[in-house]
Amino acid sequence: MNGTIQAPTIEYALLAPMLVVFGAAIAGVLVEAFAPRYLRSAIHLPLTLLSLAGAFALTVWQAVKGVPTKPAAMGAVAVDGPALFIWGAILVLAFVSVMLINDEDHFVAAAAAVPGSAEEEQALYEGAAHTEIYPLVLFAVGGMLLFPASNDLLVAFVALEVMSLPLYLLCGLARRRRLLSQEAAVKYFLLGAFSSAFFLYGTALLYGYAGSIDLAQINKALGAVGGQDTLLYIGAAMLGVGLLFKIGAAPFQAWKPDVYQGSPTPITALMASGTLVAAFGALLRVFWVGLGGLDWNWRPVLYAVAILTMVVGAVLAITQTDIKRMLAYSSIAHGGFLLVGVIATGTSAAQNTSALSGILFYLVAYGVTTVGAFAVVTMVRDAGGEAWHLSRWAGLGKRSPLLAGVFAFFLLAFAGIPLTSGFFGKYAVFQAAVTGGALPLVIVGVVASAVAAFFYVRVIVLMFFSDPAADGPTVVLPSRGTAAVVAFAALATVVLGVYPQPMLDLAHSAAHSLFVR
């Protein structure tokens, strides 16, 4: 033969952050299989934290070295500016969530034991622990990294499953209110399976339309393939259902309050921050890269979904009496605010950059504040565990003014009060929407923010202007990890609210190249 056929190359250096996380997860499985039980916890925590820190360092190194202009891994993974920014955010949020997870009091001693049985009591007496939590978390984080960087739909589906399956298990491992935790895991699994089926079926239909699962090829086919519009529209709709489910957008939000309420609180913090960041990254890539030429069709649908999501999240949060369910509906409302940014695209690259940078900043600001809020929830406890009912938080400002003040500050950041990170996050997204011609959507967002502020202020009034009950909850002495998470989240919320420009510049720099196609 006169020529040689070159084998396709995989740019391992570009994929190094993901490979480190997945490698550590596999190492964690080997630790579970071969290490003595008494050594597992001592190995898992440093392995998990070091792998996340190393992956973050590799992400920063890749960003400093230069953003790639072509997809990696034979076109399956796009390591571009937005992906690197999202990777960094996910790794930081995962790192602080693992510091909460290290407090093993949150997790059941023997998940296979019937709640209240002698087997469960024996496991508690022996100090048993589910150390496989750590490799499960690493697999979930690896899926979170791959999902927003997936450049074809099949890889995106694999990433979605790798992210979701460990979370289904972790949701059912709460130490207290075990039946509620197991119910949350089953609901999340069943509804998640339906959403995955929608995503996969949509992928099949789009392949039938375009003859490819590559996002860039699908976008090219939009103007070249005729007579197949039914496959295109139904496939895009099903793909959208799968993605909107993961971010908890209405009307696909029903799972979120139940799962947040029943899951161990550190896992809730990881889902409310890292999973949301990954899901929005994937949604942006699919709709902007794969279906960008179809924006006149999907933008009105997302317009309605954004309005419904903001209204449902803000209004239903008012009726909640469980603190974690209230934060779940708050997360739904914030998902609607972020969808405003997704819709705020324009005909110019500058407009798209502005919208994307606003979304990236919002994701970081909201994710950090959310982890801090759930870290505070883990510290307010009564005889049955965490003080979940809002009435139990009455007078907390008099019992522990520092902790109540920090939680009130997080709630004000959620409300978007000036001098908090939430204010600049909403401002960046709403400004891009106004520039993009979505002023009515911004008006709805402002009204929904005002409604949401009501239930945030209600909790603050309850904490500081009500008398504490004689048998009220106690504030436990936090572990060093929990204290560090609260301090970090509070500091980041202050810094991003007082001096947001460096993070805004970083988000703008990441968004400047837009998505690799």
Side-chain angles (χ1 to χ4, degrees):
M1 295 178 63
N2 294 330
T4 58
I5 299 176
Q6 292 184 349
T9 59
I10 298 178
E11 300 82 353
Y12 291 104
L14 298 180
L15 309 178
M18 281 193 299
L19 297 178
V20 167
V21 172
F22 281 124
I26 294 171
V29 172
L30 296 177
V31 169
E32 284 294 315
F34 300 109
R37 182 177 295 273
Y38 66 91
L39 283 179
R40 293 176 186 171
S41 293
I43 297 173
H44 277 306
L45 181 61
L47 175 65
T48 304
L49 293 178
L50 285 174
S51 64
L52 294 173
F56 179 77
L58 289 170
T59 302
V60 174
W61 174 78
Q62 181 61 59
V64 172
K65 188 181 72 169
V67 177
T69 57
K70 294 190 298 184
M74 297 178 288
V77 180
V79 186
D80 46 24
L84 289 172
F85 186 95
I86 289 171
W87 283 4
I90 290 171
L91 290 167
V92 170
L93 296 171
F95 188 93
V96 294
S97 296
V98 168
M99 295 177 70
L100 288 179
I101 290 170
N102 185 46
D103 188 353
E104 294 180 356
D105 188 50
H106 297 291
F107 296 93
V108 67
V114 176
S117 64
E119 290 83 359
E120 184 182 39
E121 294 296 328
Q122 181 67 22
L124 289 171
Y125 176 77
E126 295 175 353
H130 280 284
T131 52
E132 67 269 21
I133 290 168
Y134 294 101
L136 286 174
V137 167
L138 285 174
F139 276 118
V141 172
M144 293 176 195
L145 297 179
L146 182 58
F147 195 34
S150 300
N151 201 44
D152 74 52
L153 295 177
L154 189 58
V155 173
F157 174 76
V158 172
L160 175 63
E161 294 306 295
V162 172
M163 175 180 71
S164 300
L165 290 175
L167 293 177
Y168 299 153
L169 297 174
L170 292 168
C171 287
L173 298 180
R175 191 182 189 91
R176 298 174 179 86
R177 296 202 289 178
R178 284 194 58 200
L179 291 177
L180 188 64
S181 177
Q182 292 171 356
E183 178 187 350
V186 172
K187 284 181 178 179
Y188 193 23
F189 169 70
L190 291 177
L191 294 176
F194 279 116
S195 73
S196 297
F198 274 104
F199 188 93
L200 189 58
Y201 196 29
T203 299
L205 291 177
L206 287 179
Y207 177 78
Y209 169 80
S212 175
I213 53 175
D214 182 87
L215 294 179
Q217 295 301 320
I218 293 173
N219 192 55
K220 288 180 181 178
L222 294 179
V225 177
Q228 301 288 339
D229 288 351
T230 302
L231 290 177
L232 172 62
Y233 294 140
I234 297 178
M238 288 189 165
L239 210 61
V241 168
L243 291 169
L244 292 172
F245 174 88
K246 296 311 295 184
I247 66 175
F252 314 108
Q253 86 294 344
W255 64 274
K256 217 168 192 180
D258 293 337
V259 173
Y260 279 27
Q261 180 187 24
S263 301
T265 304
I267 301 302
T268 304
L270 178 63
M271 289 192 297
S273 56
T275 302
L276 186 72
V277 173
F280 260 101
L283 184 140
L284 285 167
R285 189 174 297 279
V286 168
F287 279 94
W288 284 15
V289 177
L291 302 173
L294 203 65
D295 59 337
W296 283 104
N297 298 93
W298 59 253
R299 187 180 285 125
V301 177
L302 286 188
Y303 207 107
V305 170
I307 292 175
L308 185 62
T309 303
M310 290 186 287
V311 172
V312 167
V315 172
L316 293 186
I318 298 175
T319 66
Q320 303 306 309
T321 58
D322 185 291
I323 188 69
K324 289 171 73 174
R325 289 183 70 88
M326 187 201 76
L327 291 176
Y329 279 105
S330 169
S331 174
I332 293 170
H334 282 282
F337 300 144
L338 282 160
L339 283 174
V340 173
V342 177
I343 298 167
T345 54
T347 56
S348 67
Q351 173 60 27
N352 292 337
T353 300
S354 175
L356 181 55
S357 63
I359 293 170
L360 295 177
F361 179 87
Y362 198 128
L363 289 172
V364 171
Y366 173 74
V368 172
T369 305
T370 297
V371 174
F374 281 109
V376 172
V377 171
T378 65
M379 298 165 59
V380 183
R381 302 185 186 181
D382 53 24
E386 294 167 357
W388 55 272
H389 201 279
L390 281 176
S391 63
R392 305 292 291 166
W393 288 64
L396 184 66
K398 299 177 181 179
R399 289 179 178 269
S400 181
L402 178 60
L403 187 70
V406 171
F407 191 65
F409 180 64
F410 289 146
L411 294 178
L412 292 176
F414 287 142
I417 301 300
L419 299 182
T420 65
S421 59
F423 172 77
F424 285 103
K426 288 182 179 178
Y427 177 79
V429 170
F430 288 168
Q431 182 190 41
V434 171
T435 305
L439 180 60
L441 199 59
V442 173
I443 294 174
V444 175
V446 172
V447 173
S449 297
V451 174
F454 169 78
F455 61 81
Y456 296 133
V457 173
R458 182 184 64 174
V459 177
I460 295 173
V461 170
L462 187 68
M463 290 191 297
F464 287 96
F465 299 99
S466 300
D467 293 325
D471 61 342
T474 59
V475 176
V476 300
L477 185 66
S479 64
R480 284 181 290 182
T482 302
V485 171
V486 174
F488 168 76
L491 180 62
T493 303
V494 170
V495 171
L496 293 178
V498 175
Y499 188 52
Q501 197 58 49
M503 185 58 69
L504 286 170
D505 291 341
L506 188 61
H508 183 80
S509 176
H512 184 70
S513 62
L514 295 179
F515 291 104
V516 167
R517 298 177 184 269

